[in-house]
Amino acid sequence: MTAKSFDIALIGAGVVGCAAWRAFTLAGLSCILIEREADIISGASKGNSAILHTGFDATPGSLELACMREGYRLYREIHEPLGLPLLETGAMVVAWSEEELAKLPGIVAQAHQNGVTDVTQITAEQVRAREPGLANDVKGGVWIPGEALIDPWSAPLAYARQALANGGTLHLNAEVTSGSLTGGTWTLTIKNAAPIQARIVINCAGNFGDLVEAIARPSPFTITPRKGQFVVYDKPAHGLVQSIILPVPTARTKGIVITRTAFGNLLVGPTAEDQPERRLATTETATLNALHAAGCRMLPALAGMEITTAYAGLRPATQFKDYQIEALPAQNWITAGGIRSTGLTGALGIARHMRGLYETHFGTLKPLPSPLWPRVPNLTETLPRPHAQPGRSEIICHCELVTHDEVAAALASPLPAGSIGGLRRRTRCMMGRCQGFYCSRRVLELAAPYIPGLADA
Amino acid sequence: MHNVAIIGAGPAGLTAARVLLQAGISGVQVLERNPQPGGLPRFCDHQGWGVWDMHRLYTGPRYAGELVRRAAGADILINTTVTALEPNGHLHISTPGGPEYLQSRIVLLATGIREKPRGARLVSGTRPWGITTTGAFQEMAQAGQIPFRRPVIIGSELVAFSALLTARHAGIKPVAMLEPGPRILARRPGGLIARAVFGVPVRTNTQLLEIRGIDRVESVLLERNGQREELACDGVIFTGQFTPEAWLPRSAGLQIDPATGGPAIDNFFRCSDPAYFATGNLLRPVEHSGFAALEGARAAAQILRALRGELPPPQAAIPVIPGGALRYIYPQRIIPGGIPIQLHGRARHAHKGRLRAMADDTLVFERLIRILPERRISLTLPGAALTGRNSLAVILD
């Protein structure tokens, strides 16, 4: 069997895989992104808090911090030409006890050490002035003006679409089962499909990272997925806070974040629960009720708001706190493992870092002289949306105000939705307060010809 | 400027439009976000509609058609979505031609209800394809596209039997109907009908613990009397637990009654901004469409008086407060005066006891009742009984 050979095969189309696919494609290499699921960002990258972090609280001197700082800078540089949003909200670490209050100067000092020099401690009165909705036992806070909200689904989609537009190859529904390195070329065996050959393999397999790593070597890290559950509140709750409300981290208690979303909702979460299961993230009624109660304690008006839905994400945590990124020159292999909850922020920085590793170990790069910059459709409330445009098509999803043409485009455009979840993440359809009560039929009519198995099992 | 804008062309909104038109009011616009008017009955393709308000028996789609026919002459704008309410009846709307700003003397909110979906119920488990609500299931069935063959039906309100009827029509067989409470919530022979007519076992006292499945629903985990059981199925239909579709008034800061989930109104159907009236199932979960339609007519009668300047100033209202086993009561504010005042509510749970109304410290109404939580409790007070009072408490002891 002859297989086409690529410069680079990337395993895993999460946000890191999409960003690295883009970076190496723009760097002039022929790249194939291999994903076991039917669509990109179907694993760890589909469920997070959608925050673009400054890195103020990352471990000083860590690779994670360096990648976050670089990712943060790069996102701000490229979001406009790719059509991606940026909602500048700022964030506030809020202390609710004297014990937490005592930790604030340390948080400020660490932020400054991390190069986030605009972070300041603020008084309880200043917290209340910014966030009058918070419960009145606030003791003080730390103000981080640079934290921002982004669209967690469109960002990786934009990276992937730019890679695709500039000659990248995408292989979905393709599970890599093994591989062998012969004469400087990897041959990767794909379940139910032809093998793929590439000079270099990049492991960015998220929650399966240690299993994929075993193709090249005994994995130095073990992944124990960490589940985070979230509760989503309906649009009227959006205005209850302006900034991202962060907890004071303590050794004993897991902190819960309250944040708006760029889609006009409010989120409370996440939890942090270690589990062996790598693919499925379940929600649990009791945990969600506890999240709701915790949210209401901090933000009392939340009690009167409608819950839209709940979700759970899995972060690829390892026994190490830091990212596990390295090049294995003898194995023609680059690993990006253990990219935990900061992956959305860090992805562009991780990709840049891996590009550096490539140049150090595998050769020089000749970046494309004039790459294409395709824009992704806007899903957020920070930029104009199609429902507000003259000549709009029928609104299909009334809760999220998604039009017929947006759904049709997501099904037929380059890198079309490969699953109903992918369609939801590309359009917001069925994601609102009715969860498909009003729009399931219309969405199903449009999607059934493209996505197998939706109607009449 | 228009006289009246009605948001929602369902039973309540269309009936209100008909009453206003018959009274000779011009400039009545009905704003409907869907491509067809008629509301939710459009998709309930079985008998049971029209008895209350039209004194005839129709299927849902025929009834919807009849509502539209009887409102002929109204200016029904389809594919028109209201995106925000502003004070004094100013509306932001999204139309196929672009965004617009609409101003009316009076706006009637008649946006109806929806069922509470899985997400908002915070049910445990995975999130595979095949989880839906009755409303969505019926629309999909009408379009001939059904995501499952052997679903479980969650809940036993009347709408759960509507789901059963649709399932039979569509040739699919639910594996069970689950009710967490001790008895079926729909009318008494419901369980018998489910078993005898549809062959669907009804399980009371049964909790849904978890949904399982990777890409599609594979099973549900149940618990009955402390015993757990995994039941194979390929879909889950969540029925009932209706929620008023109230995000517009909620976002606009109109007063919302947390107990009903709908806007708080006075006894003239006025919201906290008196340019806004509300009627139909938006007011509370849930009445059948005939009741909602008649409510639409009653709200329209008050709008006619408002247009003539005959309504008392809203500031004169006193609050109505539910007590005891009463879950909610509406209208939430009343203005004492000459006309009798009708109040409706529901109990928190099955209850046998005394319903009483206290105007300040004076007993103005008393009745022994025996009530189930899904049944409407209605009482009528002579308006004069409340003159000079500061509040009305309605208590179910």
Side-chain angles (χ1 to χ4, degrees):
Chain A
M1 197 184 308
T2 57
K4 188 189 168 190
S5 192
F6 295 87
D7 290 323
I8 293 187
L10 304 102
I11 304 175
V15 65
V16 174
C18 291
W21 186 35
R22 168 184 177 273
F24 283 105
T25 302
L26 297 187
L29 300 180
S30 70
C31 301
I32 183 166
L33 179 63
I34 306 168
E35 167 59 44
R36 57 177 273 162
E37 304 287 347
D39 204 347
I40 63 166
I41 55 165
S42 296
S45 301
K46 74 180 173 188
N48 55 57
S49 55
I51 300 172
L52 186 70
H53 294 289
T54 56
F56 79 96
D57 58 350
T59 306
S62 63
L63 181 57
E64 180 181 32
L65 172 63
C67 290
M68 285 173 75
R69 295 293 289 157
E70 182 68 354
Y72 180 88
R73 189 186 68 74
L74 286 170
Y75 183 86
R76 286 175 174 269
E77 194 176 291
I78 69 171
H79 78 91
E80 276 177 6
L82 291 177
L84 292 170
L86 182 65
L87 180 54
E88 306 269 16
T89 57
M92 207 186 269
V93 175
V94 177
W96 298 95
S97 66
E98 295 299 329
E99 186 197 351
E100 290 182 351
L101 185 63
K103 294 191 167 160
L104 299 186
I107 292 172
V108 174
Q110 186 177 347
H112 291 179
Q113 190 185 345
N114 286 354
V116 191
T117 51
D118 54 0
V119 171
T120 52
Q121 186 167 346
I122 55 177
T123 64
E125 288 67 37
Q126 288 170 314
V127 172
R128 273 194 284 275
R130 282 188 187 275
E131 300 294 351
L134 292 180
N136 51 23
D137 51 339
V138 169
K139 296 290 189 287
V142 171
W143 174 238
I144 310 109
E147 300 269 307
L149 299 177
I150 61 176
D151 173 348
W153 305 309
S154 297
L157 179 66
Y159 308 156
R161 281 180 61 168
Q162 193 178 18
L164 195 67
N166 288 286
T169 305
L170 178 63
H171 195 4
L172 295 168
N173 296 305
E175 183 181 346
V176 176
T177 54
S178 64
S180 60
L181 178 65
T182 320
T185 298
W186 276 98
T187 301
L188 297 174
T189 311
I190 312 289
K191 194 173 173 180
N192 302 325
I196 290 167
Q197 292 195 332
R199 201 157 48 78
I200 313 284
V201 172
I202 295 179
N203 170 16
C204 39
N207 285 313
F208 296 87
D210 52 349
L211 303 184
V212 168
E213 190 70 6
I215 294 172
R217 58 167 172 170
S219 179
F221 56 90
T222 305
I223 289 186
T224 305
R226 187 164 298 159
K227 181 164 77 177
Q229 301 188 46
F230 291 85
V231 177
V232 187
Y233 294 82
D234 196 18
K235 314 297 178 198
H238 181 249
L240 294 181
V241 291
Q242 296 308 308
S243 45
I244 302 160
I245 308 300
L246 301 170
V248 175
T250 71
R252 283 173 292 116
T253 55
K254 305 290 184 197
I256 289 166
V257 179
I258 300 178
T259 175
R260 296 151 69 193
T261 72
F263 312 120
N265 296 83
L266 193 80
L267 278 186
V268 174
T271 56
E273 310 156 59
D274 288 348
Q275 65 172 46
E277 165 62 39
R278 292 169 186 263
R279 196 169 171 222
L280 292 180
T282 57
T283 53
E284 276 94 40
T285 307
T287 309
L288 298 173
N289 282 326
L291 276 178
H292 176 59
C296 294
R297 264 199 309 282
M298 292 186 273
L299 187 62
L302 211 49
M305 291 294 161
E306 266 190 76
I307 292 173
T308 295
T309 190
Y311 66 94
L314 291 179
R315 288 103 76 176
T318 68
Q319 68 270 45
F320 306 108
K321 195 165 186 298
D322 206 355
Y323 293 170
Q324 301 298 301
I325 305 178
E326 65 177 306
L328 309 177
Q331 280 95 346
N332 282 12
W333 185 276
I334 300 175
T335 303
I339 314 297
R340 304 169 310 139
S341 52
T342 52
L344 178 63
T345 299
L348 293 169
I350 293 165
R352 176 66 61 94
H353 178 69
M354 287 198 286
R355 215 180 71 176
L357 291 176
Y358 181 95
E359 288 179 303
T360 304
H361 299 287
F362 302 116
T364 52
L365 295 166
K366 273 188 244 154
L368 300 182
S370 47
L372 299 172
W373 285 80
R375 293 173 66 85
V376 286
N378 169 50
L379 306 187
T380 69
E381 303 302 322
T382 59
L383 296 165
R385 291 186 59 208
H387 73 77
Q389 307 301 317
R392 67 144 167 87
S393 55
E394 179 194 339
I395 293 175
I396 286 182
C397 167
H398 297 294
C399 301
E400 299 297 314
L401 300 172
V402 183
T403 60
H404 169 281
D405 288 359
E406 290 172 275
V407 176
L411 289 162
S413 61
L415 224 168
S419 64
I420 203 77
L423 184 62
R424 291 158 56 112
R425 292 189 284 275
R426 275 175 187 70
T427 63
R428 283 170 57 180
C429 72
M430 306 174 93
M431 283 196 157
R433 64 190 73 88
C434 91
Q435 294 281 297
F437 177 84
Y438 293 115
C439 70
S440 288
R441 172 182 63 93
R442 297 290 281 122
V443 172
L444 189 53
E445 280 172 351
L446 289 170
Y450 295 92
I451 299 171
L454 293 182
D456 273 341
Chain B
M1 182 155 79
H2 289 89
N3 273 318
V4 184
I6 299 173
I7 307 180
L14 288 173
T15 305
R18 173 174 61 79
V19 170
L20 293 171
L21 286 168
Q22 285 173 349
I25 301 297
S26 61
V28 177
Q29 278 194 324
V30 186
L31 310 175
E32 172 54 52
R33 63 191 189 176
N34 284 296
Q36 304 91 24
L40 290 182
R42 284 176 300 151
F43 304 106
C44 303
D45 215 344
H46 54 77
Q47 294 287 334
W49 274 261
V51 180
W52 268 56
D53 52 327
M54 295 179 184
H55 312 293
R56 282 193 52 185
L57 192 60
Y58 291 107
T59 65
R62 297 266 324 264
Y63 172 67
E66 194 62 21
L67 287 168
V68 177
R69 195 183 66 76
R70 292 182 186 207
D75 187 7
I76 302 178
L77 303 179
I78 56 165
N79 286 321
T80 300
T81 301
V82 179
T83 54
L85 314 178
E86 282 194 17
N88 305 315
H90 296 200
L91 307 178
H92 292 270
I93 61 175
S94 166
T95 76
E100 284 179 33
Y101 195 60
L102 192 75
Q103 199 175 341
S104 300
R105 288 176 66 189
I106 288 173
V107 176
L108 176 61
L109 306 173
T111 47
I113 35 92
R114 60 189 146 80
E115 290 167 291
K116 199 171 190 177
R118 180 267 177 94
R121 298 185 195 212
L122 304 182
V123 173
S124 297
T126 55
R127 290 152 52 84
W129 180 243
I131 303 172
T132 186
T133 45
T134 312
F137 165 54
Q138 291 183 325
E139 268 203 68
M140 290 188 282
Q142 204 179 62
Q145 298 202 303
I146 303 172
F148 38 60
R149 310 306 304 178
R150 299 177 300 114
V152 286
I153 295 177
I154 309 298
S156 67
E157 295 173 47
L158 196 55
V159 63
F161 292 87
S162 186
L164 268 184
L165 282 163
T166 302
R168 185 168 71 161
H169 248 263
I172 69 168
K173 184 145 184 195
V175 292
M177 179 185 278
L178 310 180
E179 167 55 46
R183 53 175 192 84
I184 285 175
L185 295 175
R187 287 169 212 291
R188 288 218 174 277
L192 185 68
I193 291 170
R195 276 185 296 268
V197 180
F198 303 105
V200 173
V202 180
R203 304 191 185 194
T204 52
N205 288 314
T206 303
Q207 306 280 344
L208 170 66
L209 290 187
E210 188 182 325
I211 295 173
R212 293 176 174 175
I214 300 172
D215 298 318
R216 305 190 59 98
V217 175
E218 290 163 21
S219 66
V220 288
L221 184 66
L222 313 176
E223 187 176 74
R224 185 173 202 275
N225 302 330
Q227 298 276 60
R228 292 187 174 192
E229 180 194 344
E230 187 167 0
L231 178 68
C233 59
D234 65 355
V236 184
I237 305 175
F238 284 94
T239 71
Q241 290 195 16
F242 284 94
T243 309
E245 179 74 342
W247 81 277
L248 278 173
R250 202 186 279 271
S251 293
L254 294 183
Q255 192 194 342
I256 300 291
D257 180 349
T260 59
I265 55 165
D266 67 15
N267 52 320
F268 303 100
F269 294 88
R270 286 182 296 192
C271 299
S272 53
D273 176 342
Y276 289 94
F277 286 59
T279 193
N281 275 327
L282 170 64
L283 296 178
R284 90 270 104 180
V286 57
E287 295 290 351
H288 58 77
S289 54
F291 187 89
L294 294 180
E295 222 162 24
R298 284 166 45 218
Q302 300 305 332
I303 289 171
L304 290 172
R305 295 180 62 198
L307 291 169
R308 294 194 296 263
E310 292 173 9
L311 291 188
Q315 297 80 1
I318 64 170
V320 183
I321 302 147
L326 209 57
R327 179 152 64 103
Y328 60 73
I329 188 94
Y330 64 94
Q332 290 84 353
R333 298 183 303 275
I334 53 180
I335 299 177
I339 60 164
I341 291 166
Q342 257 201 337
L343 297 142
H344 305 287
R346 272 189 174 74
R348 290 181 197 284
H349 41 75
H351 192 83
K352 189 176 154 187
R354 186 172 62 129
L355 180 72
R356 62 192 165 96
M358 305 289 294
D360 296 340
D361 295 330
T362 309
L363 183 72
V364 293
F365 176 92
E366 191 176 24
R367 186 170 83 208
L368 290 174
I369 63 166
R370 189 181 173 144
I371 196 77
L372 294 169
E374 62 280 5
R375 300 280 199 274
R376 180 174 59 252
I377 297 170
S378 297
L379 62 156
T380 304
L381 303 177
L386 305 173
T387 307
R389 308 293 182 171
N390 293 313
S391 75
L392 178 73
V394 182
I395 301 153
L396 183 56
D397 298 307

mmCIF file of all heavy atoms in Angstrom, chain A residues 27 29 199 358-360 362-367:
data_model
loop_
_atom_site.group_PDB
_atom_site.id
_atom_site.type_symbol
_atom_site.label_atom_id
_atom_site.label_comp_id
_atom_site.label_asym_id
_atom_site.label_seq_id
_atom_site.Cartn_x
_atom_site.Cartn_y
_atom_site.Cartn_z
ATOM 1 N N ALA A 27 4.051 27.688 8.382
ATOM 2 C CA ALA A 27 5.522 27.646 8.342
ATOM 3 C C ALA A 27 6.034 26.938 7.086
ATOM 4 O O ALA A 27 7.241 26.722 6.946
ATOM 5 C CB ALA A 27 6.058 26.969 9.600
ATOM 6 N N LEU A 29 5.192 23.767 5.908
ATOM 7 C CA LEU A 29 5.261 22.308 5.882
ATOM 8 C C LEU A 29 3.923 21.719 5.445
ATOM 9 O O LEU A 29 2.874 22.336 5.612
ATOM 10 C CB LEU A 29 5.645 21.780 7.264
ATOM 11 C CG LEU A 29 6.993 22.249 7.817
ATOM 12 C CD1 LEU A 29 7.226 21.647 9.201
ATOM 13 C CD2 LEU A 29 8.128 21.886 6.873
ATOM 14 N N ARG A 199 7.129 12.505 8.267
ATOM 15 C CA ARG A 199 8.488 12.587 8.770
ATOM 16 C C ARG A 199 8.487 12.781 10.289
ATOM 17 O O ARG A 199 9.215 12.134 11.004
ATOM 18 C CB ARG A 199 9.186 13.769 8.069
ATOM 19 C CG ARG A 199 10.681 13.768 8.058
ATOM 20 C CD ARG A 199 11.209 14.626 6.890
ATOM 21 N NE ARG A 199 10.556 15.939 6.796
ATOM 22 C CZ ARG A 199 10.840 16.977 7.578
ATOM 23 N NH1 ARG A 199 11.758 16.886 8.512
ATOM 24 N NH2 ARG A 199 10.207 18.122 7.411
ATOM 25 N N TYR A 358 10.974 22.492 16.624
ATOM 26 C CA TYR A 358 11.190 21.921 15.291
ATOM 27 C C TYR A 358 12.453 22.508 14.669
ATOM 28 O O TYR A 358 13.315 21.790 14.144
ATOM 29 C CB TYR A 358 9.979 22.199 14.397
ATOM 30 C CG TYR A 358 10.126 21.616 13.007
ATOM 31 C CD1 TYR A 358 9.602 20.357 12.697
ATOM 32 C CD2 TYR A 358 10.805 22.314 11.998
ATOM 33 C CE1 TYR A 358 9.767 19.805 11.433
ATOM 34 C CE2 TYR A 358 10.972 21.774 10.733
ATOM 35 C CZ TYR A 358 10.450 20.524 10.446
ATOM 36 O OH TYR A 358 10.602 19.977 9.199
ATOM 37 N N GLU A 359 12.559 23.841 14.744
ATOM 38 C CA GLU A 359 13.723 24.499 14.118
ATOM 39 C C GLU A 359 15.021 24.080 14.798
ATOM 40 O O GLU A 359 16.053 23.943 14.149
ATOM 41 C CB GLU A 359 13.550 26.017 14.159
ATOM 42 C CG GLU A 359 12.479 26.484 13.187
ATOM 43 C CD GLU A 359 12.279 27.992 13.230
ATOM 44 O OE1 GLU A 359 11.988 28.518 14.313
ATOM 45 O OE2 GLU A 359 12.415 28.623 12.171
ATOM 46 N N THR A 360 14.963 23.869 16.108
ATOM 47 C CA THR A 360 16.157 23.441 16.831
ATOM 48 C C THR A 360 16.581 22.030 16.413
ATOM 49 O O THR A 360 17.768 21.763 16.230
ATOM 50 C CB THR A 360 15.883 23.460 18.348
ATOM 51 O OG1 THR A 360 15.452 24.756 18.699
ATOM 52 C CG2 THR A 360 17.140 23.098 19.141
ATOM 53 N N PHE A 362 14.857 19.752 13.933
ATOM 54 C CA PHE A 362 14.481 19.056 12.700
ATOM 55 C C PHE A 362 14.729 19.853 11.415
ATOM 56 O O PHE A 362 14.520 19.327 10.329
ATOM 57 C CB PHE A 362 13.006 18.627 12.761
ATOM 58 C CG PHE A 362 12.706 17.729 13.935
ATOM 59 C CD1 PHE A 362 11.847 18.127 14.948
ATOM 60 C CD2 PHE A 362 13.307 16.479 14.048
ATOM 61 C CE1 PHE A 362 11.570 17.313 16.025
ATOM 62 C CE2 PHE A 362 13.045 15.646 15.130
ATOM 63 C CZ PHE A 362 12.175 16.061 16.129
ATOM 64 N N GLY A 363 15.104 21.111 11.509
ATOM 65 C CA GLY A 363 15.420 21.812 10.275
ATOM 66 C C GLY A 363 14.810 23.197 10.202
ATOM 67 O O GLY A 363 14.003 23.596 11.037
ATOM 68 N N THR A 364 15.203 23.917 9.172
ATOM 69 C CA THR A 364 14.721 25.285 9.015
ATOM 70 C C THR A 364 13.328 25.285 8.378
ATOM 71 O O THR A 364 12.911 24.321 7.738
ATOM 72 C CB THR A 364 15.673 26.107 8.139
ATOM 73 O OG1 THR A 364 15.879 25.374 6.932
ATOM 74 C CG2 THR A 364 17.011 26.326 8.823
ATOM 75 N N LEU A 365 12.643 26.387 8.559
ATOM 76 C CA LEU A 365 11.282 26.518 8.028
ATOM 77 C C LEU A 365 11.243 27.648 7.021
ATOM 78 O O LEU A 365 11.959 28.642 7.160
ATOM 79 C CB LEU A 365 10.312 26.813 9.182
ATOM 80 C CG LEU A 365 10.168 25.685 10.215
ATOM 81 C CD1 LEU A 365 9.468 26.184 11.459
ATOM 82 C CD2 LEU A 365 9.418 24.510 9.599
ATOM 83 N N LYS A 366 10.390 27.448 6.013
ATOM 84 C CA LYS A 366 10.197 28.522 5.033
ATOM 85 C C LYS A 366 8.733 28.933 5.052
ATOM 86 O O LYS A 366 7.889 28.365 4.336
ATOM 87 C CB LYS A 366 10.587 28.039 3.632
ATOM 88 C CG LYS A 366 12.064 28.229 3.342
ATOM 89 C CD LYS A 366 12.368 27.923 1.888
ATOM 90 C CE LYS A 366 13.293 26.730 1.827
ATOM 91 N NZ LYS A 366 13.215 25.961 0.606
ATOM 92 N N PRO A 367 8.390 29.896 5.890
ATOM 93 C CA PRO A 367 6.979 30.292 6.040
ATOM 94 C C PRO A 367 6.359 30.708 4.710
ATOM 95 O O PRO A 367 7.044 31.251 3.838
ATOM 96 C CB PRO A 367 7.040 31.467 7.007
ATOM 97 C CG PRO A 367 8.319 31.293 7.757
ATOM 98 C CD PRO A 367 9.274 30.644 6.794
#
